[in-house]
Amino acid sequence: MDVRVTGHQVDIGDSLRELAVGRMQSLTEKYFSRAVSANVTMSPGPHNDFICDIVAPVAQGVVLKAHHRAPEARIAFEGAGDKIEKQLRRYAKRLRDHKGNGSDDFVETAGYTIFAVPPEAEEQSEESSDHPAIIAETKVDIPEATVSDAVMMLDLRNTNALMFKNRASGELNMIYRRDDGNIGWVEPPAR
């Protein structure tokens, strides 16, 4: 397994480097038989603390990401490492559960609920919402997946939204994490 431990404006000591490499290798051995890579980046936080970011590509375009901030570098790494371990455990479980399914050709249905606009949103001034900032994101591949696999990828990639090509319909769909903690699913109307 290839583990790269780097410091961004911070010096990484040998003990932290050994801890990171050892922990990531033990996680890989515990949950996967084949090797993966991981990038561990330590950087200073805004309040004299440390930030640890871990990015670990697993398989088939699935990338695990974790971020943790703590007053000490070792604690920041441990927090991010715990998040990666939780994601790996979920991913391994879902792969085991999915293997026994036997069929990928199914259509899932989803219900939806329309909520009233919260009073706070109505009270906001029009000036603040007229010109929102546009944030450029990196280009990513759009995977072909079932809805349940797309939800798994959303969790594993630790993102708020995921566009995917629905394996059942062949159409582009999007899933996103709602403010209430549930997953929203956007599907184009039938033509």
Side-chain angles (χ1 to χ4, degrees):
M1 173 180 193
D2 178 31
V3 180
R4 294 185 182 150
V5 183
T6 57
H8 179 65
Q9 299 178 348
V10 104
D11 185 32
I12 301 295
D14 290 338
S15 64
L16 183 58
R17 187 179 313 277
E18 290 172 10
L19 172 71
V21 170
R23 173 98 189 260
M24 298 309 293
Q25 286 179 341
S26 69
L27 289 176
T28 303
E29 291 169 5
K30 185 174 181 179
Y31 294 104
F32 290 101
S33 58
R34 61 192 139 110
V36 295
S37 64
N39 293 318
V40 178
T41 306
M42 297 297 299
S43 58
H47 305 289
N48 292 330
D49 52 1
F50 293 91
I51 297 172
C52 180
D53 291 303
I54 301 175
V55 178
V58 181
Q60 298 174 348
V62 175
V63 179
L64 306 178
K65 295 180 183 178
H67 172 86
H68 194 77
R69 194 170 102 190
E72 294 180 24
R74 182 178 294 270
I75 296 170
F77 169 73
E78 289 294 342
D82 290 346
K83 291 175 184 177
I84 289 289
E85 182 171 12
K86 183 177 181 180
Q87 292 173 8
L88 280 170
R89 188 172 46 247
R90 284 182 183 166
Y91 182 63
K93 181 183 182 309
R94 287 182 179 172
L95 283 178
R96 281 192 305 271
D97 293 348
H98 186 67
K99 261 188 176 176
N101 188 1
S103 172
D104 287 339
D105 299 328
F106 62 92
V107 177
E108 295 183 4
T109 59
Y112 65 93
T113 306
I114 299 174
F115 295 94
V117 177
E120 305 86 25
E122 291 176 356
E123 295 172 4
Q124 289 180 345
S125 69
E126 291 182 16
E127 293 175 28
S128 65
S129 62
D130 281 348
H131 304 287
I134 299 172
I135 309 298
E137 296 287 340
T138 58
K139 292 183 180 180
V140 295
D141 293 327
I142 298 175
E144 182 175 332
T146 63
V147 176
S148 61
D149 287 345
V151 171
M152 177 178 67
M153 283 186 247
L154 179 78
D155 286 340
L156 293 173
R157 292 179 180 185
N158 200 18
T159 60
N160 293 325
L162 175 73
M163 181 176 281
F164 66 101
K165 185 175 180 182
N166 191 327
R167 189 172 287 150
S169 67
E171 297 287 331
L172 289 178
N173 288 195
M174 186 179 90
I175 55 171
Y176 61 96
R177 191 167 310 282
R178 296 167 38 105
D179 289 339
D180 61 7
N182 293 317
I183 303 293
W185 175 19
V186 179
E187 184 174 36
R191 296 181 198 181

